[in-house]
Amino acid sequence: MRISSKYDANLVEDKWYDYWMKHNYFHSEVDQRVPYTIVIPPPNVTGVLHMGHMLNNTIQDVLIRRARLMGKNACWVPGIDHASIATEAKVVAKLKEEGIDKNVLSREEFLEHAWEWKRKYGGIILEQLKKLGASCDWERTKFTMDPEMSEAVIQVFVALYNKGLIYRGYRMVNWDPEAKTTLSDEEVEYVEKQGKLYYVSYQIEDSNETLTIATTRPETILGDTAICIHPTDERHEHLKGKRVVVPICNRSIPVIEDEYVDVEFGTGCLKVTPAHDENDKILGDKHNLEVIDIFNNDATLNSYGMHYEGKDRFVVRKEIVRELEGKGHIVKIEHHTNRVGISERTKAIIEPRLSDQWFLKMEELAKPALDAVLTTGDVKLFPKKFENTYRHWMENIRDWNISRQLWWGQQIPAYYYGDGKDDFVVAENQEKALELAREASLNPGLQMQDLKQDADVLDTWFSSWLWPISVFDGIRNPENKEINYYYPTNDLVTGPDILFFWVARMIIAGYAFKDTRPFNNVYLTGLVRDKQRRKMSKQLGNSPDALKLIRDYGADGVRVGLLLSAAAGNDLMFDEALCQQGKGLANKVWSAFYLTTLWETSESVEQPKSAAIAIKWYESKFYKTLEDIEHHFSKYRLSDALMAIYKLIFDDFCGFFLELVKPPYQHPINLHTYHKVIELFEDNLKILHPFMPFLTEEIWQSIKERRPEEALIIASYPQQGSYDLNLMSDFDFATEVISGLRTVRKERNIAFKDPIEVFIMSNEGITGDFNTVIQKLTNSSAITEVTEKVSGASFRVKSNEYFVPLSLDHVNVKVEVEKLTKELTRAEGFLAGIQKKLSNERFVNNAPEKVIALELKKESDTLAKIETIRSSLKRLR
């Protein structure tokens, strides 16, 4: 096979992905092996690949490929989430472009459009993940609205309802007027916004006096049904028992008393609008106040808005202030910073709204999930710091509003059979519902057409909280062989922003429906930010095109670039230069492989001593690094694991090992040495494969012809072997000498092809065998031990002094004297600092013996260095 000297990722990646798919390496079936299972955090059906997906799925692929190499039955389940709010918005926008108003369609007609949209666009992100190298079991791909997945969701709803945990209640909810649906508390983000505080006067009934209230939302005065004062506030003693007139609508409302009022805020008089503020609703219930809802579902005003009917709330705010000013009701206006809730999905400002909704009681359900993380440790969070966030959320959990006013999603299985609010039954299908409705209504003649199913759908998270169970059909068939084999799963990789939305709820569901945890470990990645620490977003234009990055740097280069900057749980400062670094590693490894293809082998050529030492050293270095890698993986420090591999291959294998074993120009390499080089190269490929799958498979398959069952993707991961720390230490010493000799060559402009002679005054050393290593890598003709200094360039490594004889014809004496004089000044300054410290009695008396010994060693080494420099200067002068 002809091997190119250059590596081209674009020619390789599709080839090997197709090969892996053809041979079904990603697929998993129940067998006798130990399972290793990951379920993908299902991206939204509306999604396209961005940097967060790239990081998250690269990490998952590293874990799954490593498990596969370690002989485990690796199963990575992919899928997509139906994303009710986001998808419905996309479909509505598409219909609008086509001149179709959603409101003129029936539910069935709208869902036909939605499914058509899903079929056309829904699988894009999964196809893009393949370009990254994601080795998911694509045969297991799930969609949260697949029939069997929806059936599981409905089954869970019915079971929880029958246990009394799901109920219907008229509550103040978070209303998204853009999506026209409720949101759970967790789907609301809070932001600081600059607004205004309006002081508005109300006429006291049957009096010329007024009172003043302060509000940030003057448009809601049309829904006021009381003014509240603190019972002990002497300023308003005269208002007790009075009534006031609401401006514009001229409604007469009572003055009530309650300790809830903050006497320090505003004027101490609080307008009470029970329909549009949660705290006002509590006051309204307590004092039996009328509830007047002034908003439509899109936050325009309804008929209670009088002449503002049909106008948007923020338009009305400006107009009503002008009207109030015109009527003399505005006392003053102040600038005011307000904390405002916005929709996590649409970014619309949330409107508190009273509505009939479905809720799930969470307090009892949450307890096992809280204990699993914080008490028993059955579920471990990495990094551990997120346990405090988890504790806060779980200890302050509220009932979950699980209904959404949408059509795209699982329709709530509640069936109404009468006119009363409580005339409904909950059942898994219409047939069962009819049977229950006949019993509940005492009407055996009730027909199917008499039933009306609740129009709302379930919150998207109500399906995805079952994900680790439902992908293995563990709800509908709780004892099937797959759920019993693959569940609990091993690792979950996700972002901390959905720690409560999804992770905590999956843990809750695991204990509620399987009586055990859904996964063992949760690895929480950081957010991907740019070099200026800004979160990447389309709005800022700082998010690179993920697929373009892959085209420019190769999937392996991008994977390495992402992981090199992704410390566990910390935000990732993404820099495209890191992808270039990843591409550089690919080129370095390929060049190393290409070098080995140029060698001729011979059994008759004797193995050089330097090659024998290099092999022993690299084996030790490899096994020590393998141990370090395992430790990093156990802590989910994938960045550190990759960096250990990077240094091993880039610095040790390519920088030293190959240079030591390669034969002289146009000479063959010893056959045993060659086989050992290839064996070690293959071990390198195995540990690098999870991070750089395409490059490593290409080299693996190019080393020799392989059968499908010999592919790298299913090879055996290297087993831990012993290592010699003394040997590694000696080699490190030798590399310092090599570095010193290379510096001499560079500074004296001595070409590498010209041999140099080296002399050593040795007080501390390594075995003489290592001289062959030094000679090989520095082109030294001989290394001779002497007892006296030798004229020429010199340097020290620990207590050893090395000399390279030089001809003055090749030395610029003036430049050399200047350089050595500067070095002498620095050394003397350093020595003075050490000696000052050692002459300090307090330091000497209080410092540990090890510290004193270290300072004395520094003094000794510096004195020796100064002596060497002075000798060199003396020779030059």
Side-chain angles (χ1 to χ4, degrees):
M1 185 190 300
R2 185 178 176 278
I3 303 297
S4 171
S5 62
K6 303 286 186 184
Y7 177 67
D8 187 344
N10 293 316
L11 298 177
V12 166
E13 293 176 353
D14 285 346
K15 175 180 74 173
W16 289 116
Y17 202 88
D18 291 344
Y19 180 84
W20 295 328
M21 290 286 284
K22 176 185 174 183
H23 293 287
N24 221 20
Y25 296 126
F26 304 162
H27 184 57
S28 172
E29 291 286 349
V30 174
D31 62 24
Q32 300 306 309
R33 290 175 294 168
V34 173
Y36 177 83
T37 315
I38 294 179
V39 292
I40 199 171
N44 286 352
V45 67
T46 58
V48 292
L49 196 64
H50 58 60
M51 299 307 294
H53 293 133
M54 297 261 279
L55 171 64
N56 186 285
N57 287 282
T58 294
I59 291 168
Q60 289 176 80
D61 196 48
V62 168
L63 295 173
I64 211 78
R65 285 181 181 273
R66 184 167 179 268
R68 198 177 284 124
L69 287 168
M70 296 179 103
K72 295 176 182 177
N73 190 353
C75 179
W76 183 12
V77 182
I80 47 179
D81 189 281
H82 64 273
S84 292
I85 295 174
T87 306
E88 187 145 327
K90 290 274 189 184
V91 177
V92 168
K94 176 179 176 291
L95 289 171
K96 190 174 181 180
E97 287 174 8
E98 296 170 1
I100 303 171
D101 182 354
K102 174 195 171 184
N103 297 315
V104 304
L105 299 176
S106 68
R107 186 185 198 110
E108 291 69 26
E109 288 170 335
F110 176 81
L111 289 176
E112 282 180 21
H113 286 283
W115 279 107
E116 178 59 32
W117 187 93
K118 187 265 176 187
R119 283 188 287 271
K120 188 172 182 180
Y121 301 105
I124 290 175
I125 192 166
L126 297 186
E127 290 303 312
Q128 292 174 329
L129 285 176
K130 293 176 182 178
K131 292 291 184 185
L132 189 63
S135 57
C136 301
D137 186 347
W138 299 110
E139 294 178 38
R140 292 182 176 275
T141 303
K142 298 291 184 184
F143 176 50
T144 50
M145 277 179 61
D146 285 339
E148 67 278 9
M149 301 288 279
S150 289
E151 189 180 319
V153 172
I154 298 304
Q155 189 174 319
V156 163
F157 182 98
V158 173
L160 291 171
Y161 177 81
N162 289 337
K163 289 179 180 178
L165 294 173
I166 286 179
Y167 64 94
R168 186 164 172 79
Y170 187 65
R171 295 278 192 86
M172 183 70 72
V173 295
N174 305 302
W175 185 261
D176 181 338
E178 187 170 320
K180 298 183 182 65
T181 183
T182 59
L183 301 177
S184 65
D185 292 337
E186 294 73 35
E187 292 170 298
V188 179
E189 298 173 351
Y190 287 91
V191 295
E192 297 286 332
K193 283 190 177 287
Q194 282 298 319
K196 292 179 180 178
L197 188 61
Y198 302 89
Y199 288 79
V200 183
S201 66
Y202 288 55
Q203 185 77 38
I204 299 172
E205 199 170 61
D206 301 324
S207 166
N208 292 326
E209 293 183 72
T210 62
L211 62 80
T212 302
I213 60 92
T215 180
T216 58
R217 305 188 64 202
E219 67 277 12
T220 62
I221 67 173
L222 300 175
D224 288 356
T225 56
I227 296 292
C228 190
I229 60 173
H230 197 284
T232 64
D233 190 343
E234 294 179 358
R235 294 174 299 172
H236 304 308
E237 186 74 27
H238 66 292
L239 296 177
K240 292 180 179 180
K242 299 287 181 68
R243 297 181 71 84
V244 300
V245 178
V246 179
I248 300 176
C249 67
N250 297 320
R251 183 187 309 118
S252 173
I253 59 175
V255 175
I256 61 173
E257 301 170 48
D258 199 284
E259 293 180 350
Y260 167 75
V261 176
D262 180 0
V263 296
E264 300 298 325
F265 179 78
T267 65
C269 291
L270 176 73
K271 66 189 281 297
V272 184
T273 318
H276 300 295
D277 183 274
E278 188 170 3
N279 293 316
D280 287 10
K281 177 63 169 63
I282 294 169
L283 276 174
D285 290 345
K286 184 176 178 181
H287 295 275
N288 198 28
L289 298 177
E290 183 182 4
V291 177
I292 300 174
D293 185 350
I294 67 168
F295 289 126
N296 296 313
N297 65 2
D298 61 354
T300 58
L301 271 68
N302 60 25
S303 59
Y304 284 105
M306 302 171 61
H307 46 284
Y308 295 111
E309 183 176 3
K311 292 185 177 182
D312 181 77
R313 54 186 165 161
F314 298 120
V315 172
V316 173
R317 179 174 300 176
K318 293 177 181 177
E319 293 184 359
I320 206 168
V321 168
R322 283 199 293 270
E323 183 174 355
L324 288 168
E325 283 177 324
K327 293 179 181 294
H329 289 288
I330 295 292
V331 177
K332 63 177 178 176
I333 301 173
E334 296 177 344
H335 289 289
H336 181 72
T337 302
N338 208 13
R339 190 165 175 263
V340 177
I342 62 171
S343 167
E344 184 254 346
R345 287 287 182 202
T346 67
K347 305 306 178 187
I349 292 179
I350 294 301
E351 193 62 56
R353 192 180 194 208
L354 284 166
S355 178
D356 280 312
Q357 301 292 334
W358 293 89
F359 295 89
L360 174 60
K361 297 177 183 177
M362 296 298 288
E363 189 174 355
E364 289 304 313
L365 284 174
K367 286 180 180 176
L370 183 64
D371 291 341
V373 172
L374 301 173
T375 304
T376 65
D378 286 347
V379 178
K380 293 180 173 59
L381 303 186
F382 293 89
K384 193 176 174 65
K385 65 182 182 181
F386 287 109
E387 287 182 5
N388 287 333
T389 306
Y390 185 87
R391 179 195 299 276
H392 174 75
W393 276 334
M394 297 296 275
E395 288 182 345
N396 294 281
I397 201 164
R398 297 173 66 178
D399 288 357
W400 178 8
N401 173 7
I402 57 174
S403 49
R404 298 291 179 270
Q405 288 63 55
L406 301 164
W407 282 348
W408 178 247
Q410 285 94 7
Q411 193 171 354
I412 289 175
Y415 298 85
Y416 297 86
Y417 56 82
D419 296 328
K421 286 176 65 173
D422 297 326
D423 293 344
F424 67 84
V425 293
V426 170
E428 291 174 11
N429 54 53
Q430 285 185 321
E431 289 73 23
K432 288 183 181 177
L434 182 59
E435 185 181 328
L436 291 172
R438 284 172 174 169
E439 291 177 15
S441 66
L442 303 176
N443 180 5
L446 208 63
Q447 298 300 309
M448 195 73 77
Q449 60 266 28
D450 297 322
L451 299 183
K452 183 182 178 183
Q453 188 172 354
D454 195 299
D456 290 353
V457 298
L458 286 159
D459 180 10
T460 300
W461 298 108
F462 194 83
S463 58
S464 54
W465 78 321
L466 304 175
W467 186 249
I469 306 172
S470 58
V471 294
F472 299 114
D473 203 17
I475 297 294
R476 300 188 314 154
N477 299 294
E479 294 302 322
N480 79 77
K481 68 176 183 177
E482 291 208 335
I483 192 72
N484 288 334
Y485 178 73
Y486 291 115
Y487 187 95
T489 65
N490 295 78
D491 295 318
L492 178 75
V493 182
T494 190
D497 53 327
I498 54 174
L499 179 57
F500 185 80
F501 277 135
W502 190 47
V503 178
R505 286 171 176 163
M506 282 191 290
I507 300 173
I508 291 170
Y511 285 98
F513 306 118
K514 295 300 294 177
D515 199 29
T516 189
R517 62 188 182 271
F519 27 71
N520 302 332
N521 306 297
V522 181
Y523 174 50
L524 296 156
T525 67
L527 294 173
V528 183
R529 298 183 181 275
D530 65 15
K531 288 184 286 186
Q532 299 173 46
R533 302 189 68 83
R534 299 177 303 174
K535 184 177 177 180
M536 287 191 169
S537 68
K538 289 179 183 176
Q539 289 81 3
L540 290 173
N542 62 346
S543 183
D545 181 333
L547 294 179
K548 185 177 184 298
L549 285 177
I550 291 174
R551 287 193 298 272
D552 292 346
Y553 301 104
D556 290 333
V558 175
R559 289 164 67 112
V560 168
L562 283 165
L563 289 175
L564 282 178
S565 54
N570 295 324
D571 287 353
L572 181 158
M573 302 302 122
F574 180 74
D575 184 348
E576 206 166 307
L578 293 166
C579 295
Q580 183 61 53
Q581 188 176 349
K583 184 177 182 179
L585 176 60
N587 290 335
K588 186 79 169 179
V589 177
W590 182 263
S591 296
F593 166 60
Y594 179 69
L595 175 66
T596 67
T597 67
L598 302 178
W599 295 340
E600 297 290 334
T601 61
S602 171
E603 290 187 66
S604 60
V605 174
E606 187 178 347
Q607 184 183 57
K609 187 178 288 186
S610 59
I613 293 173
I615 289 168
K616 287 181 181 178
W617 162 73
Y618 191 75
E619 284 179 330
S620 276
K621 189 75 177 179
F622 180 88
Y623 288 128
K624 177 63 174 73
T625 303
L626 193 64
E627 183 179 85
D628 293 341
I629 293 166
E630 182 59 35
H631 176 70
H632 292 317
F633 267 100
S634 72
K635 303 292 184 184
Y636 291 85
R637 297 200 296 255
L638 273 66
S639 178
D640 293 341
L642 173 58
M643 184 51 74
I645 296 169
Y646 186 105
K647 289 178 178 177
L648 175 75
I649 296 175
F650 200 100
D651 298 338
D652 298 322
F653 187 79
C654 298
F656 287 111
F657 178 72
L658 288 181
E659 292 298 315
L660 281 169
V661 299
K662 76 178 183 183
Y665 182 62
Q666 292 187 335
H667 286 70
I669 187 172
N670 166 266
L671 185 61
H672 171 72
T673 302
Y674 174 77
H675 286 319
K676 200 66 187 174
V677 169
I678 297 303
E679 178 187 322
L680 292 170
F681 204 150
E682 288 182 339
D683 281 344
N684 286 343
L685 295 177
K686 289 174 182 178
I687 62 172
L688 184 59
H689 176 77
F691 299 93
M692 305 184 81
F694 295 108
L695 167 78
T696 51
E697 189 74 75
E698 173 73 5
I699 295 176
W700 178 268
Q701 300 280 357
S702 300
I703 288 173
K704 66 179 180 181
E705 192 172 333
R706 316 259 188 183
R707 298 188 304 276
E709 60 268 26
E710 296 174 318
L712 176 57
I713 189 174
I714 53 168
S716 295
Y717 201 73
Q719 297 295 307
Q720 183 63 54
S722 61
Y723 50 86
D724 185 338
L725 288 175
N726 290 328
L727 175 64
M728 291 163 63
S729 176
D730 285 351
F731 196 93
D732 288 344
F733 190 103
T735 60
E736 288 190 57
V737 178
I738 291 163
S739 177
L741 292 172
R742 285 175 175 173
T743 300
V744 169
R745 280 188 176 276
K746 181 180 177 182
E747 291 180 349
R748 302 302 196 278
N749 294 315
I750 305 171
F752 188 78
K753 63 183 177 62
D754 299 329
I756 56 172
E757 194 174 4
V758 180
F759 295 91
I760 174 176
M761 284 180 63
S762 178
N763 299 314
E764 172 183 351
I766 52 177
T767 62
D769 288 346
F770 272 89
N771 285 344
T772 61
V773 170
I774 296 168
Q775 286 179 256
K776 169 84 174 180
L777 294 182
T778 59
N779 192 18
S780 303
S781 57
I783 298 178
T784 307
E785 192 166 338
V786 294
T787 55
E788 294 184 354
K789 298 179 185 295
V790 176
S791 178
S794 65
F795 61 92
R796 299 184 72 86
V797 176
K798 297 186 179 176
S799 298
N800 294 358
E801 189 168 0
Y802 294 84
F803 304 91
V804 178
L806 300 170
S807 166
L808 286 180
D809 295 337
H810 297 96
V811 177
N812 186 323
V813 175
K814 183 180 177 183
V815 171
E816 189 65 19
V817 167
E818 285 180 2
K819 183 171 75 67
L820 288 172
T821 302
K822 286 180 181 177
E823 282 186 29
L824 180 62
T825 301
R826 279 196 298 271
E828 287 174 338
F830 185 67
L831 177 65
I834 296 169
Q835 290 177 335
K836 184 178 179 182
K837 193 182 290 186
L838 289 171
S839 65
N840 185 323
E841 288 187 18
R842 180 182 290 180
F843 172 76
V844 173
N845 293 334
N846 295 314
E849 284 185 23
K850 286 184 179 178
V851 174
I852 299 294
L854 180 63
E855 293 301 317
L856 289 169
K857 180 76 166 54
K858 285 182 189 177
E859 181 184 41
S860 172
D861 288 348
T862 307
L863 284 167
K865 183 177 182 179
I866 288 170
E867 179 58 31
T868 300
I869 295 170
R870 284 174 175 165
S871 297
S872 297
L873 282 169
K874 186 176 181 181
R875 286 193 297 272
L876 288 168
R877 287 168 174 160

